[in-house]
Amino acid sequence: MEGRIAISGLSIVLGERDQAFEAVKALDCDIEPGQFVCILGPSGCGKSTLLGALAGHLVPNQGSLQMDGQAVVGPSQQRGMVFQQHTLFPWRTVRENVAFGLKMRGVSKAERLAAADEILALVGLEGFAERWPNQLSGGMQQRVEIARVLVNRPRLLLMDEPFGALDALTRMKMQALLLDIWTRIRTTVVFVTHDIDEALFLADRILVMSPRPGRIIEDFQLDFPRPRHTELMTTPEFTLLKRHCLALLHHEDGRQLPRLNPLGLPTDHSTPRFAI
Amino acid sequence: MSTYRWLPRAASLLVCLLFWQLAASHHWNLWLVTFANVPTPGAVVEAALGLVDSGKLAQHLSASLTRVFEGYLAAVLVGVGLGIAIGRSKWAEDVLLPPLEVIRPIPAVAWIPLAILMFPSSELSMVFITFTGALFPILLNTVHGVEGVDPRLIASARSLGAGRGAILLEVIVPGAAPSIITGLAIGMGTSWFCLVTAEMISGQFGIGYYTWESYTIQNYADIVVGMLLIGALGMGSSWLVKRLGTVFTPWHRPRGKA
């Protein structure tokens, strides 16, 4: 099976000149193929930055990033990315959005639309193929976003707080759906979140990160049996681990850091460069 | 819109017409402005019918429409092309934007003398004037639209395997389309505005020429006919551009419609 990740000595600097800081510092980590890894940490700890580097959107300043022995250089279809707010193309229907990756690979129209329909059925959106993305609810949009990435059969699925913007109930349904899909389309998953329940429910392994500079302060395996159900969240074992994670996250002195994203620093669009 | 709101709107238009009729027929002198030489609505309708009967309307219309179409088309090609280049590339921005920013504040009317000197025919210089009028709204809206494309969409497209060309065609152009269409509609309006000024000075046929000629030969009712024609043509062509725009951007609608 493919999708083995090797990170060694990884440092990423964000910002320019005197504003520059190390978002990720000297990070080492290996991820097994097919493993579901959650990166847990407070806002601004560099977990999204790490994800952006894995996707190839951010260039490391030091260290190396490899997938299956090959250095990560730029974005690739092999490393699919799901953002917190969906990035569906508003000018394409749901079906065409999902088929986009296959179109880029030169797959014929009939073939790629059929493949899109198939994967839309997998995420439970059979009847919505003809809709525009902005006609769907937030949960549905994220399902389309996941389908669009999975249609490429990536070796690595990167998720940046994909359910962070959804309401609690929808989020729980999406977590169950994601695990269900993952049993059918097995890939390595790196899932970034600051929600402890989410991380414990989903992951095989949790990496806890601490901010400025971003480094891994805890790395542990979870052996809750699969398939997992929501009842898991009320078991004593779950609560015990949750307490452990809470203690780790509270370890920090409560500094509020600006949110980072997989493309680097948040961009400021407030002032147009140029008046019309 | 509620069903009864057309009533006050129509009434408002009627009141304006009535005021025009009264002021023109009684030659009102309102201190600053005088209606002594203003034709009445009736005289204007008569003059319009006269223009239709004379058979010159088609000639004037086709002359103006051709000039606007040529200048506007050139502005669309240059404006959208340069706009995408400037919006996408820092290098293109540094090289192209400064001279354009210097030229931009110069009104099209101010170009007229130089345009006459620069172009071999007055026809071409008029087309050039409509071109300058339409260029900047189209260019700036295109730049604005291209720069406003969400960088996350571009990143996502790259992660899905899109190369430079695919990103341009699949993400940048459709992403900037609503803004480009706004620029096209504004450009259409300014294009007409500039054409009429150009025709007043160096025309032989055309609605602007007709309007100015009517003044010089003291056919005051014809002036108003010309003015109304210009307004109608400008409004009609802007409306057409907007209609075409909604046809080409079916996704760009308020939530839930469609």
Side-chain angles (χ1 to χ4, degrees):
Chain A
M1 192 169 175
E2 293 175 308
R4 181 183 303 278
I5 310 299
I7 305 167
S8 74
L10 184 76
S11 292
I12 301 166
V13 177
L14 294 180
E16 308 232 313
R17 290 183 204 96
D18 47 328
Q19 303 273 307
F21 64 95
E22 276 190 306
V24 174
K25 187 173 187 180
L27 193 136
D28 295 294
C29 180
D30 288 303
I31 297 170
E32 298 292 315
Q35 205 170 39
F36 199 125
V37 177
C38 278
I39 303 180
L40 188 62
S43 250
C45 73
K47 54 195 192 302
S48 296
T49 308
L50 174 59
L51 209 65
L54 283 168
H57 295 308
L58 293 173
V59 182
N61 296 76
Q62 264 175 39
S64 79
L65 260 178
Q66 289 188 332
M67 182 168 78
D68 298 322
Q70 284 193 312
V72 168
V73 186
S76 150
Q77 291 192 320
Q78 293 301 327
R79 288 171 271 113
M81 176 87 181
V82 174
F83 288 84
Q84 178 176 20
Q85 300 283 345
H86 80 88
T87 58
L88 300 173
F89 304 131
W91 46 86
R92 293 260 175 242
T93 61
V94 165
R95 180 186 283 131
E96 291 169 334
N97 259 293
V98 174
F100 184 82
L102 299 177
K103 186 179 184 183
M104 292 302 107
R105 248 192 269 162
V107 177
S108 76
K109 188 162 187 177
E111 223 174 304
R112 65 178 187 251
L113 294 184
D117 282 344
E118 199 177 306
I119 208 128
L120 277 171
L122 190 68
V123 298
L125 289 175
E126 294 96 335
F128 297 89
E130 301 291 338
R131 302 283 187 97
W132 300 110
N134 64 12
Q135 292 176 306
L136 304 182
S137 70
M140 287 173 164
Q141 287 167 341
Q142 279 309 60
R143 279 192 265 170
V144 178
E145 178 103 354
I146 293 168
R148 184 173 70 166
V149 168
L150 288 180
V151 86
N152 285 324
R153 309 284 154 161
R155 287 185 241 169
L156 174 61
L157 176 58
L158 301 161
M159 307 184 93
D160 183 36
E161 303 192 33
F163 311 140
L166 304 177
D167 66 86
L169 209 63
T170 313
R171 191 182 313 159
M172 272 163 64
K173 281 185 194 156
M174 292 291 291
Q175 289 161 358
L177 179 81
L178 176 64
L179 287 184
D180 184 46
I181 298 169
W182 181 63
T183 55
R184 293 166 208 229
I185 301 178
R186 199 66 172 217
T187 73
T188 310
V189 181
V190 178
F191 188 109
V192 158
T193 181
H194 59 243
D195 180 339
I196 297 171
D197 283 339
E198 185 167 68
L200 289 171
F201 181 70
L202 294 173
D204 291 323
R205 176 183 172 195
I206 290 182
L207 306 173
V208 182
M209 273 183 82
S210 115
R212 298 288 172 98
R215 60 202 184 279
I216 294 170
I217 51 169
E218 175 71 298
D219 178 353
F220 61 96
Q221 304 277 335
L222 293 169
D223 36 23
F224 299 126
R226 294 182 190 271
R228 294 176 184 171
H229 305 285
T230 35
E231 292 79 55
L232 170 69
M233 294 190 182
T234 48
T235 59
E237 294 84 358
F238 192 93
T239 314
L240 203 69
L241 280 170
K242 185 173 175 177
R243 205 169 289 160
H244 177 57
C245 291
L246 272 170
L248 283 167
L249 293 185
H250 277 275
H251 180 71
E252 283 303 318
D253 47 12
R255 292 177 291 171
Q256 266 293 315
L257 295 170
R259 250 188 72 84
L260 304 174
N261 66 53
L263 304 181
L265 289 166
T267 38
D268 184 17
H269 286 299
S270 53
T271 47
R273 260 185 335 97
F274 160 85
I276 290 185
Chain B
M1 194 173 90
S2 113
T3 354
Y4 295 106
R5 287 185 67 187
W6 63 268
L7 211 89
R9 289 175 185 207
S12 161
L13 277 175
L14 277 176
V15 168
C16 289
L17 263 178
L18 189 69
F19 173 79
W20 177 13
Q21 172 68 40
L22 285 174
S25 57
H26 292 92
H27 302 292
W28 282 357
N29 190 347
L30 304 175
W31 184 53
L32 254 182
V33 52
T34 172
F35 283 79
N37 291 317
V38 174
T40 60
V44 170
V45 172
E46 226 168 274
L49 292 174
L51 178 63
V52 175
D53 284 340
S54 73
K56 280 187 180 163
L57 179 65
Q59 227 167 355
H60 287 306
L61 274 181
S62 67
S64 287
L65 283 169
T66 315
R67 286 168 194 151
V68 164
F69 181 74
E70 289 171 352
Y72 183 72
L73 192 72
V76 170
L77 295 177
V78 175
V80 173
L82 286 183
I84 289 174
I86 291 171
R88 284 297 284 162
S89 142
K90 286 260 174 293
W91 184 83
E93 186 185 326
D94 291 340
V95 173
L96 296 172
L97 207 51
L100 288 169
E101 285 285 346
V102 172
I103 298 171
R104 181 159 73 108
I106 302 171
V109 194
W111 272 102
I112 291 173
L114 197 60
I116 295 170
L117 295 174
M118 283 166 68
F119 289 94
S121 68
S122 62
E123 197 58 36
L124 261 179
S125 56
M126 283 186 280
V127 171
F128 173 74
I129 301 290
T130 59
F131 165 80
T132 46
L135 177 66
F136 289 103
I138 297 175
L139 176 78
L140 296 189
N141 274 286
T142 305
V143 173
H144 190 74
V146 168
E147 289 188 337
V149 175
D150 188 346
R152 297 176 321 122
L153 291 193
I154 300 169
S156 244
R158 300 213 308 145
S159 277
L160 293 167
R164 284 181 68 91
I167 284 174
L168 188 68
L169 291 178
E170 298 274 353
V171 185
I172 303 295
V173 171
S179 179
I180 294 177
I181 286 162
T182 306
L184 294 181
I186 299 171
M188 193 79 242
T190 48
S191 187
W192 272 103
F193 172 84
C194 295
L195 170 86
V196 169
T197 1
E199 279 181 345
M200 281 184 176
I201 288 139
S202 55
Q204 284 186 329
F205 289 105
I207 306 298
Y209 168 75
Y210 167 78
T211 309
W212 193 245
E213 186 205 33
S214 306
Y215 168 71
T216 49
I217 59 175
Q218 301 190 340
N219 273 342
Y220 295 144
D222 288 349
I223 297 176
V224 182
V225 175
M227 287 165 62
L228 291 175
L229 266 175
I230 293 161
L233 285 169
M235 197 169 81
S237 41
S238 282
W239 177 83
L240 194 72
V241 169
K242 274 186 207 149
R243 279 301 313 164
L244 286 174
T246 46
V247 170
F248 283 110
T249 55
W251 69 89
H252 193 69
R253 282 179 197 160
R255 209 169 223 280
K257 278 190 190 175

